[in-house]
Amino acid sequence: MWNSSIRFLRIVTTVLRYRLDTFIPIHLLPWYLKYTVGILLSIGRKGRERNRGERLRLALESLGPIFVKFGQILSTRRDLLPDDIADELARLQDRVPPFSGDIACQIIEKDLGESVDTIFNEFDRKPLASASIAQVHTATLKTGESVVVKVIRPNIEKTIKQDIRLLYMLAYFIAKTSTDGRRLRPVEVVQDYEYTILDELDLAKEAANTGLLQRNFDNSDLLYVPQIYWDYSRRNVMVMERISGIPVADIAALRAQNVNMKVLAERGVEIFFTQVFSHSFFHADMHPGNIFVDPSNPEKPKYIAIDCAIMGSLDDADKNYLARNLLAFFKRDYRMVAELHVESGWVPKGTPVHAFESAIRSVCEPMFAKPLKEISFGQVLLGLFQTARRFNMEVQPQLVLLEKTLLNIEGLGRQLYPDLDLWITAKPFLERWMSEQVGPRRLLDEVKKQAPEWAGHLPQIPNLVFSTMTHLSQQENRIQEQTEALNQIRKELRRSRHNQPFKLLGLLALGAAWVTTDNIALEHLADADILSLALFLGGIYLLVLKP
């Protein structure tokens, strides 16, 4: 509790020092807080000479790695943030001092249950790289393989949870006191951050993600994913094959190796669309620090991907939505784009399609003033999401990750090859994928997919057939009985309708007998005249005795 209070005071001091009162609705505070804040703002040494985005970035950097990470994730929410803030937050660097190599050894030994000397022939206690969540050491296994060992920072989970609680406090405060703050959905943003960063604390999950990505690109000449050593991977430790390659951002080194930059850029796009549409599982943290290039075949350079902590996945509905939206956009069919949003349920069903179509056109049409190769897919999606947000579109976390990754891929591709035409590369892929969703091939794929499940039921088929035939036979008997009963009822009804005139005549006859005599009781039948007696007996016959 004491530590939390000190941390909170440091956050408040940082907010005031960097004059982040820009983001705080001071006028809504109680009078005593207004005056207190007004006095404290005098310590804002950084003043307002910097723009608001820069001040926010510097404040987050001064608060340490957890807030830096939060800022990095926040920078991907361009559907919520103004461009000037998002651009500035994207510059946040995850520069964190390393922790002691001896502490890293203690964490490894605790998680693996063996000493470092037993597991490794060599272990470099000086880290190769250090980030906010973990750091990496180089090592050599007893079997001779060169590896890297990723180790989670000590006590980082406690620090993260403490800072997340404080972030929630700030988020709830902003949401309750500021209309603009509510528009940014601060509580939702903190929830997304909590989910993402807590996942990064579990290296067993990252190892599993790496293994799946590796299987998806097994024997591929597009992407290489390093081998995981499962015997030495746990929640706080992960041992992985050490790779060698040129960092993708090192353009000079790539050119020195005569790498075909056009092919390299196009392959990056192909890898992205393959992950999204063919595998439904994509690397969602593909910034330059996580991507290397194998230049051994310069005309067909191969990518190498590391750090699979953050991955995205799309279901068939998501993929169908994206492919159809992008194809409709480049055909300028804004009506289709609007209808797709409504059909998907991502905007309310009652949304007026005409008004939505008009809003989309106003955002997208200016993009076509540029050549197609200059149109950004990421900006297209961003424009669509921002427009849809005005029509109460719910945030789709998987699409936020996709948009972030697509922006990274586009930026990287055009850095490698400025004339990259993403549309020419992507359009055939999208059209091919759409054609595969209908027709015989899709049907065959579905049959193949269901075949194992059907095979499991094969031994039960004879019993199921016998049970079904018995049930059908019983049903047939019941139907026959019900049919006969219905026929009998019909006969009775027809007979009843046929006898109705006779019953009426019977009633008339009795009435006439009553009129013609004052008393036709049984004991006085002899005194009745002949006509009255005839009418009485005829009425009884027609009412009672006639079938």
Side-chain angles (χ1 to χ4, degrees), residues 340-380:
L340 286 168
H341 277 72
V342 176
E343 287 172 12
S344 69
W346 291 346
V347 294
K349 292 294 183 186
T351 299
V353 174
H354 178 73
F356 193 20
E357 175 192 359
S358 179
I360 292 171
R361 180 182 289 107
S362 67
V363 170
C364 296
E365 193 65 25
M367 295 184 185
F368 284 101
K370 309 178 199 176
L372 274 180
K373 69 179 182 180
E374 294 179 18
I375 295 176
S376 162
F377 266 38
Q379 292 298 330
V380 167

mmCIF file of all heavy atoms in Angstrom, residues 340-380:
data_model
loop_
_atom_site.group_PDB
_atom_site.id
_atom_site.type_symbol
_atom_site.label_atom_id
_atom_site.label_comp_id
_atom_site.label_asym_id
_atom_site.label_seq_id
_atom_site.Cartn_x
_atom_site.Cartn_y
_atom_site.Cartn_z
ATOM 1 N N LEU A 340 -21.692 -4.408 -45.712
ATOM 2 C CA LEU A 340 -20.879 -5.428 -45.041
ATOM 3 C C LEU A 340 -20.734 -5.129 -43.552
ATOM 4 O O LEU A 340 -20.786 -6.031 -42.714
ATOM 5 C CB LEU A 340 -19.500 -5.515 -45.692
ATOM 6 C CG LEU A 340 -19.438 -6.200 -47.058
ATOM 7 C CD1 LEU A 340 -18.090 -5.960 -47.717
ATOM 8 C CD2 LEU A 340 -19.710 -7.691 -46.927
ATOM 9 N N HIS A 341 -20.563 -3.860 -43.216
ATOM 10 C CA HIS A 341 -20.455 -3.494 -41.800
ATOM 11 C C HIS A 341 -21.746 -3.813 -41.050
ATOM 12 O O HIS A 341 -21.714 -4.305 -39.918
ATOM 13 C CB HIS A 341 -20.132 -1.999 -41.657
ATOM 14 C CG HIS A 341 -18.676 -1.669 -41.786
ATOM 15 N ND1 HIS A 341 -18.009 -1.713 -42.983
ATOM 16 C CD2 HIS A 341 -17.759 -1.298 -40.863
ATOM 17 C CE1 HIS A 341 -16.749 -1.378 -42.807
ATOM 18 N NE2 HIS A 341 -16.567 -1.121 -41.522
ATOM 19 N N VAL A 342 -22.869 -3.532 -41.686
ATOM 20 C CA VAL A 342 -24.160 -3.773 -41.032
ATOM 21 C C VAL A 342 -24.434 -5.269 -40.938
ATOM 22 O O VAL A 342 -24.856 -5.785 -39.896
ATOM 23 C CB VAL A 342 -25.297 -3.052 -41.791
ATOM 24 C CG1 VAL A 342 -26.657 -3.383 -41.164
ATOM 25 C CG2 VAL A 342 -25.068 -1.541 -41.767
ATOM 26 N N GLU A 343 -24.191 -6.001 -42.044
ATOM 27 C CA GLU A 343 -24.439 -7.447 -42.057
ATOM 28 C C GLU A 343 -23.597 -8.176 -41.007
ATOM 29 O O GLU A 343 -24.036 -9.149 -40.411
ATOM 30 C CB GLU A 343 -24.124 -8.024 -43.443
ATOM 31 C CG GLU A 343 -25.133 -7.671 -44.513
ATOM 32 C CD GLU A 343 -24.663 -8.107 -45.886
ATOM 33 O OE1 GLU A 343 -23.671 -8.874 -45.965
ATOM 34 O OE2 GLU A 343 -25.277 -7.678 -46.890
ATOM 35 N N SER A 344 -22.372 -7.695 -40.792
ATOM 36 C CA SER A 344 -21.478 -8.358 -39.838
ATOM 37 C C SER A 344 -21.931 -8.164 -38.398
ATOM 38 O O SER A 344 -21.492 -8.884 -37.501
ATOM 39 C CB SER A 344 -20.049 -7.816 -39.987
ATOM 40 O OG SER A 344 -19.992 -6.469 -39.534
ATOM 41 N N GLY A 345 -22.818 -7.172 -38.172
ATOM 42 C CA GLY A 345 -23.272 -6.893 -36.809
ATOM 43 C C GLY A 345 -22.320 -5.992 -36.051
ATOM 44 O O GLY A 345 -22.511 -5.739 -34.860
ATOM 45 N N TRP A 346 -21.283 -5.463 -36.738
ATOM 46 C CA TRP A 346 -20.312 -4.608 -36.047
ATOM 47 C C TRP A 346 -20.825 -3.181 -35.891
ATOM 48 O O TRP A 346 -20.297 -2.411 -35.115
ATOM 49 C CB TRP A 346 -18.976 -4.644 -36.764
ATOM 50 C CG TRP A 346 -18.315 -5.973 -36.619
ATOM 51 C CD1 TRP A 346 -18.641 -6.971 -35.742
ATOM 52 C CD2 TRP A 346 -17.222 -6.470 -37.373
ATOM 53 N NE1 TRP A 346 -17.830 -8.056 -35.907
ATOM 54 C CE2 TRP A 346 -16.939 -7.775 -36.915
ATOM 55 C CE3 TRP A 346 -16.450 -5.956 -38.404
ATOM 56 C CZ2 TRP A 346 -15.916 -8.557 -37.427
ATOM 57 C CZ3 TRP A 346 -15.432 -6.737 -38.926
ATOM 58 C CH2 TRP A 346 -15.177 -8.018 -38.433
ATOM 59 N N VAL A 347 -21.788 -2.817 -36.711
ATOM 60 C CA VAL A 347 -22.548 -1.596 -36.427
ATOM 61 C C VAL A 347 -23.992 -2.037 -36.248
ATOM 62 O O VAL A 347 -24.403 -3.063 -36.788
ATOM 63 C CB VAL A 347 -22.418 -0.553 -37.570
ATOM 64 C CG1 VAL A 347 -21.005 -0.049 -37.689
ATOM 65 C CG2 VAL A 347 -22.902 -1.109 -38.888
ATOM 66 N N PRO A 348 -24.799 -1.285 -35.486
ATOM 67 C CA PRO A 348 -26.164 -1.720 -35.179
ATOM 68 C C PRO A 348 -26.986 -1.999 -36.441
ATOM 69 O O PRO A 348 -26.821 -1.323 -37.468
ATOM 70 C CB PRO A 348 -26.734 -0.540 -34.380
ATOM 71 C CG PRO A 348 -25.541 0.123 -33.781
ATOM 72 C CD PRO A 348 -24.435 -0.042 -34.778
ATOM 73 N N LYS A 349 -27.886 -2.978 -36.349
ATOM 74 C CA LYS A 349 -28.693 -3.381 -37.499
ATOM 75 C C LYS A 349 -29.552 -2.237 -38.031
ATOM 76 O O LYS A 349 -29.868 -2.187 -39.209
ATOM 77 C CB LYS A 349 -29.596 -4.562 -37.115
ATOM 78 C CG LYS A 349 -28.836 -5.855 -36.839
ATOM 79 C CD LYS A 349 -28.163 -6.386 -38.090
ATOM 80 C CE LYS A 349 -27.450 -7.719 -37.825
ATOM 81 N NZ LYS A 349 -26.687 -8.164 -39.001
ATOM 82 N N GLY A 350 -29.946 -1.322 -37.152
ATOM 83 C CA GLY A 350 -30.801 -0.216 -37.584
ATOM 84 C C GLY A 350 -30.057 0.935 -38.224
ATOM 85 O O GLY A 350 -30.659 1.960 -38.557
ATOM 86 N N THR A 351 -28.745 0.795 -38.416
ATOM 87 C CA THR A 351 -27.951 1.889 -38.995
ATOM 88 C C THR A 351 -28.443 2.213 -40.404
ATOM 89 O O THR A 351 -28.578 1.313 -41.241
ATOM 90 C CB THR A 351 -26.465 1.492 -39.064
ATOM 91 O OG1 THR A 351 -25.986 1.234 -37.743
ATOM 92 C CG2 THR A 351 -25.637 2.622 -39.674
ATOM 93 N N PRO A 352 -28.726 3.486 -40.700
ATOM 94 C CA PRO A 352 -29.157 3.846 -42.062
ATOM 95 C C PRO A 352 -28.003 3.657 -43.055
ATOM 96 O O PRO A 352 -26.999 4.366 -42.995
ATOM 97 C CB PRO A 352 -29.547 5.325 -41.935
ATOM 98 C CG PRO A 352 -28.854 5.819 -40.710
ATOM 99 C CD PRO A 352 -28.714 4.646 -39.794
ATOM 100 N N VAL A 353 -28.154 2.687 -43.935
ATOM 101 C CA VAL A 353 -27.071 2.319 -44.858
ATOM 102 C C VAL A 353 -26.701 3.492 -45.759
ATOM 103 O O VAL A 353 -25.517 3.715 -46.049
ATOM 104 C CB VAL A 353 -27.474 1.079 -45.687
ATOM 105 C CG1 VAL A 353 -26.413 0.781 -46.748
ATOM 106 C CG2 VAL A 353 -27.653 -0.125 -44.780
ATOM 107 N N HIS A 354 -27.702 4.253 -46.199
ATOM 108 C CA HIS A 354 -27.413 5.372 -47.105
ATOM 109 C C HIS A 354 -26.507 6.401 -46.430
ATOM 110 O O HIS A 354 -25.526 6.876 -47.023
ATOM 111 C CB HIS A 354 -28.728 6.028 -47.545
ATOM 112 C CG HIS A 354 -28.524 7.205 -48.446
ATOM 113 N ND1 HIS A 354 -28.123 7.079 -49.768
ATOM 114 C CD2 HIS A 354 -28.633 8.552 -48.211
ATOM 115 C CE1 HIS A 354 -28.002 8.274 -50.308
ATOM 116 N NE2 HIS A 354 -28.307 9.191 -49.391
ATOM 117 N N ALA A 355 -26.837 6.756 -45.161
ATOM 118 C CA ALA A 355 -26.015 7.735 -44.435
ATOM 119 C C ALA A 355 -24.618 7.190 -44.176
ATOM 120 O O ALA A 355 -23.612 7.913 -44.275
ATOM 121 C CB ALA A 355 -26.698 8.104 -43.119
ATOM 122 N N PHE A 356 -24.531 5.897 -43.860
ATOM 123 C CA PHE A 356 -23.244 5.257 -43.596
ATOM 124 C C PHE A 356 -22.407 5.234 -44.871
ATOM 125 O O PHE A 356 -21.205 5.526 -44.860
ATOM 126 C CB PHE A 356 -23.483 3.847 -43.063
ATOM 127 C CG PHE A 356 -22.268 3.186 -42.471
ATOM 128 C CD1 PHE A 356 -21.179 3.914 -42.040
ATOM 129 C CD2 PHE A 356 -22.223 1.806 -42.327
ATOM 130 C CE1 PHE A 356 -20.072 3.298 -41.493
ATOM 131 C CE2 PHE A 356 -21.125 1.174 -41.787
ATOM 132 C CZ PHE A 356 -20.044 1.931 -41.376
ATOM 133 N N GLU A 357 -23.044 4.902 -45.989
ATOM 134 C CA GLU A 357 -22.347 4.888 -47.278
ATOM 135 C C GLU A 357 -21.789 6.270 -47.602
ATOM 136 O O GLU A 357 -20.642 6.407 -48.058
ATOM 137 C CB GLU A 357 -23.330 4.457 -48.370
ATOM 138 C CG GLU A 357 -22.755 4.531 -49.778
ATOM 139 C CD GLU A 357 -23.822 4.372 -50.846
ATOM 140 O OE1 GLU A 357 -25.010 4.179 -50.499
ATOM 141 O OE2 GLU A 357 -23.466 4.450 -52.035
ATOM 142 N N SER A 358 -22.579 7.310 -47.360
ATOM 143 C CA SER A 358 -22.132 8.679 -47.638
ATOM 144 C C SER A 358 -20.926 9.051 -46.785
ATOM 145 O O SER A 358 -19.969 9.677 -47.272
ATOM 146 C CB SER A 358 -23.289 9.642 -47.376
ATOM 147 O OG SER A 358 -22.886 10.972 -47.605
ATOM 148 N N ALA A 359 -20.947 8.645 -45.502
ATOM 149 C CA ALA A 359 -19.824 8.942 -44.604
ATOM 150 C C ALA A 359 -18.565 8.222 -45.061
ATOM 151 O O ALA A 359 -17.461 8.794 -45.035
ATOM 152 C CB ALA A 359 -20.185 8.542 -43.177
ATOM 153 N N ILE A 360 -18.693 6.972 -45.488
ATOM 154 C CA ILE A 360 -17.532 6.206 -45.965
ATOM 155 C C ILE A 360 -16.969 6.845 -47.232
ATOM 156 O O ILE A 360 -15.748 6.979 -47.397
ATOM 157 C CB ILE A 360 -17.922 4.738 -46.221
ATOM 158 C CG1 ILE A 360 -18.254 4.044 -44.899
ATOM 159 C CG2 ILE A 360 -16.799 3.995 -46.939
ATOM 160 C CD1 ILE A 360 -18.862 2.665 -45.064
ATOM 161 N N ARG A 361 -17.853 7.266 -48.132
ATOM 162 C CA ARG A 361 -17.394 7.891 -49.378
ATOM 163 C C ARG A 361 -16.591 9.158 -49.077
ATOM 164 O O ARG A 361 -15.551 9.404 -49.699
ATOM 165 C CB ARG A 361 -18.590 8.225 -50.269
ATOM 166 C CG ARG A 361 -18.169 8.890 -51.598
ATOM 167 C CD ARG A 361 -19.354 9.257 -52.463
ATOM 168 N NE ARG A 361 -19.983 8.061 -53.001
ATOM 169 C CZ ARG A 361 -21.161 7.587 -52.583
ATOM 170 N NH1 ARG A 361 -21.831 8.216 -51.620
ATOM 171 N NH2 ARG A 361 -21.667 6.498 -53.110
ATOM 172 N N SER A 362 -17.064 9.956 -48.122
ATOM 173 C CA SER A 362 -16.379 11.216 -47.818
ATOM 174 C C SER A 362 -14.982 10.976 -47.272
ATOM 175 O O SER A 362 -14.085 11.800 -47.443
ATOM 176 C CB SER A 362 -17.206 12.028 -46.813
ATOM 177 O OG SER A 362 -17.239 11.385 -45.550
ATOM 178 N N VAL A 363 -14.765 9.827 -46.608
ATOM 179 C CA VAL A 363 -13.448 9.504 -46.059
ATOM 180 C C VAL A 363 -12.550 8.858 -47.115
ATOM 181 O O VAL A 363 -11.359 9.173 -47.227
ATOM 182 C CB VAL A 363 -13.584 8.557 -44.843
ATOM 183 C CG1 VAL A 363 -12.231 8.022 -44.405
ATOM 184 C CG2 VAL A 363 -14.255 9.282 -43.683
ATOM 185 N N CYS A 364 -13.123 7.968 -47.906
ATOM 186 C CA CYS A 364 -12.314 7.135 -48.807
ATOM 187 C C CYS A 364 -12.049 7.761 -50.175
ATOM 188 O O CYS A 364 -10.986 7.546 -50.761
ATOM 189 C CB CYS A 364 -12.989 5.768 -49.002
ATOM 190 S SG CYS A 364 -13.110 4.795 -47.489
ATOM 191 N N GLU A 365 -12.994 8.514 -50.694
ATOM 192 C CA GLU A 365 -12.848 9.022 -52.052
ATOM 193 C C GLU A 365 -11.595 9.885 -52.225
ATOM 194 O O GLU A 365 -10.905 9.758 -53.252
ATOM 195 C CB GLU A 365 -14.110 9.799 -52.443
ATOM 196 C CG GLU A 365 -14.197 10.111 -53.928
ATOM 197 C CD GLU A 365 -14.323 8.866 -54.797
ATOM 198 O OE1 GLU A 365 -14.807 7.822 -54.291
ATOM 199 O OE2 GLU A 365 -13.926 8.927 -55.976
ATOM 200 N N PRO A 366 -11.244 10.747 -51.234
ATOM 201 C CA PRO A 366 -10.022 11.553 -51.432
ATOM 202 C C PRO A 366 -8.755 10.717 -51.586
ATOM 203 O O PRO A 366 -7.778 11.183 -52.172
ATOM 204 C CB PRO A 366 -9.954 12.400 -50.149
ATOM 205 C CG PRO A 366 -11.368 12.481 -49.679
ATOM 206 C CD PRO A 366 -11.982 11.164 -50.041
ATOM 207 N N MET A 367 -8.779 9.489 -51.068
ATOM 208 C CA MET A 367 -7.584 8.642 -51.191
ATOM 209 C C MET A 367 -7.288 8.326 -52.650
ATOM 210 O O MET A 367 -6.133 8.118 -53.032
ATOM 211 C CB MET A 367 -7.771 7.337 -50.405
ATOM 212 C CG MET A 367 -7.896 7.527 -48.910
ATOM 213 S SD MET A 367 -8.004 5.930 -48.050
ATOM 214 C CE MET A 367 -8.300 6.480 -46.370
ATOM 215 N N PHE A 368 -8.346 8.275 -53.483
ATOM 216 C CA PHE A 368 -8.135 7.892 -54.878
ATOM 217 C C PHE A 368 -7.588 9.040 -55.709
ATOM 218 O O PHE A 368 -7.390 8.889 -56.922
ATOM 219 C CB PHE A 368 -9.441 7.357 -55.479
ATOM 220 C CG PHE A 368 -9.766 5.969 -55.022
ATOM 221 C CD1 PHE A 368 -10.694 5.761 -54.024
ATOM 222 C CD2 PHE A 368 -9.130 4.874 -55.578
ATOM 223 C CE1 PHE A 368 -10.992 4.480 -53.587
ATOM 224 C CE2 PHE A 368 -9.413 3.590 -55.141
ATOM 225 C CZ PHE A 368 -10.345 3.389 -54.146
ATOM 226 N N ALA A 369 -7.347 10.194 -55.067
ATOM 227 C CA ALA A 369 -6.644 11.269 -55.768
ATOM 228 C C ALA A 369 -5.174 10.910 -55.964
ATOM 229 O O ALA A 369 -4.484 11.507 -56.788
ATOM 230 C CB ALA A 369 -6.768 12.575 -54.974
ATOM 231 N N LYS A 370 -4.699 9.890 -55.203
ATOM 232 C CA LYS A 370 -3.308 9.445 -55.321
ATOM 233 C C LYS A 370 -3.237 8.234 -56.252
ATOM 234 O O LYS A 370 -4.230 7.536 -56.460
ATOM 235 C CB LYS A 370 -2.751 9.015 -53.966
ATOM 236 C CG LYS A 370 -2.935 10.004 -52.849
ATOM 237 C CD LYS A 370 -2.350 9.375 -51.585
ATOM 238 C CE LYS A 370 -2.862 10.020 -50.337
ATOM 239 N NZ LYS A 370 -2.363 9.340 -49.141
ATOM 240 N N PRO A 371 -2.049 7.917 -56.757
ATOM 241 C CA PRO A 371 -1.871 6.649 -57.471
ATOM 242 C C PRO A 371 -2.125 5.476 -56.521
ATOM 243 O O PRO A 371 -1.900 5.582 -55.314
ATOM 244 C CB PRO A 371 -0.390 6.690 -57.905
ATOM 245 C CG PRO A 371 -0.004 8.115 -57.826
ATOM 246 C CD PRO A 371 -0.836 8.737 -56.751
ATOM 247 N N LEU A 372 -2.596 4.365 -57.072
ATOM 248 C CA LEU A 372 -2.925 3.198 -56.244
ATOM 249 C C LEU A 372 -1.753 2.761 -55.382
ATOM 250 O O LEU A 372 -1.928 2.351 -54.239
ATOM 251 C CB LEU A 372 -3.365 2.030 -57.129
ATOM 252 C CG LEU A 372 -4.843 1.985 -57.523
ATOM 253 C CD1 LEU A 372 -5.107 0.776 -58.398
ATOM 254 C CD2 LEU A 372 -5.743 1.953 -56.297
ATOM 255 N N LYS A 373 -0.536 2.861 -55.922
ATOM 256 C CA LYS A 373 0.612 2.374 -55.166
ATOM 257 C C LYS A 373 0.890 3.218 -53.921
ATOM 258 O O LYS A 373 1.611 2.790 -53.028
ATOM 259 C CB LYS A 373 1.864 2.300 -56.048
ATOM 260 C CG LYS A 373 2.414 3.660 -56.461
ATOM 261 C CD LYS A 373 3.673 3.463 -57.302
ATOM 262 C CE LYS A 373 4.276 4.813 -57.678
ATOM 263 N NZ LYS A 373 5.504 4.645 -58.488
ATOM 264 N N GLU A 374 0.322 4.427 -53.876
ATOM 265 C CA GLU A 374 0.533 5.294 -52.721
ATOM 266 C C GLU A 374 -0.587 5.175 -51.688
ATOM 267 O O GLU A 374 -0.522 5.801 -50.633
ATOM 268 C CB GLU A 374 0.666 6.750 -53.178
ATOM 269 C CG GLU A 374 1.903 7.010 -54.021
ATOM 270 C CD GLU A 374 2.000 8.455 -54.471
ATOM 271 O OE1 GLU A 374 1.312 9.309 -53.867
ATOM 272 O OE2 GLU A 374 2.747 8.729 -55.434
ATOM 273 N N ILE A 375 -1.621 4.398 -52.009
ATOM 274 C CA ILE A 375 -2.734 4.239 -51.068
ATOM 275 C C ILE A 375 -2.344 3.201 -50.018
ATOM 276 O O ILE A 375 -1.902 2.097 -50.340
ATOM 277 C CB ILE A 375 -4.019 3.803 -51.806
ATOM 278 C CG1 ILE A 375 -4.480 4.916 -52.750
ATOM 279 C CG2 ILE A 375 -5.124 3.474 -50.805
ATOM 280 C CD1 ILE A 375 -5.674 4.549 -53.592
ATOM 281 N N SER A 376 -2.524 3.557 -48.763
ATOM 282 C CA SER A 376 -2.144 2.679 -47.656
ATOM 283 C C SER A 376 -3.317 1.801 -47.245
ATOM 284 O O SER A 376 -4.395 2.309 -46.915
ATOM 285 C CB SER A 376 -1.682 3.515 -46.466
ATOM 286 O OG SER A 376 -1.699 2.764 -45.271
ATOM 287 N N PHE A 377 -3.115 0.482 -47.274
ATOM 288 C CA PHE A 377 -4.131 -0.449 -46.780
ATOM 289 C C PHE A 377 -4.471 -0.141 -45.323
ATOM 290 O O PHE A 377 -5.622 -0.147 -44.916
ATOM 291 C CB PHE A 377 -3.607 -1.883 -46.872
ATOM 292 C CG PHE A 377 -3.991 -2.591 -48.129
ATOM 293 C CD1 PHE A 377 -4.029 -1.918 -49.331
ATOM 294 C CD2 PHE A 377 -4.300 -3.938 -48.113
ATOM 295 C CE1 PHE A 377 -4.369 -2.564 -50.490
ATOM 296 C CE2 PHE A 377 -4.640 -4.598 -49.277
ATOM 297 C CZ PHE A 377 -4.679 -3.916 -50.474
ATOM 298 N N GLY A 378 -3.423 0.091 -44.535
ATOM 299 C CA GLY A 378 -3.636 0.363 -43.117
ATOM 300 C C GLY A 378 -4.474 1.611 -42.917
ATOM 301 O O GLY A 378 -5.383 1.645 -42.081
ATOM 302 N N GLN A 379 -4.189 2.647 -43.706
ATOM 303 C CA GLN A 379 -4.972 3.880 -43.593
ATOM 304 C C GLN A 379 -6.405 3.674 -44.077
ATOM 305 O O GLN A 379 -7.338 4.294 -43.561
ATOM 306 C CB GLN A 379 -4.303 5.008 -44.392
ATOM 307 C CG GLN A 379 -2.973 5.465 -43.824
ATOM 308 C CD GLN A 379 -3.097 6.048 -42.425
ATOM 309 O OE1 GLN A 379 -4.122 6.606 -42.070
ATOM 310 N NE2 GLN A 379 -2.045 5.888 -41.621
ATOM 311 N N VAL A 380 -6.584 2.800 -45.068
ATOM 312 C CA VAL A 380 -7.943 2.462 -45.519
ATOM 313 C C VAL A 380 -8.740 1.851 -44.368
ATOM 314 O O VAL A 380 -9.863 2.274 -44.050
ATOM 315 C CB VAL A 380 -7.895 1.486 -46.712
ATOM 316 C CG1 VAL A 380 -9.280 0.884 -46.974
ATOM 317 C CG2 VAL A 380 -7.401 2.185 -47.955
#
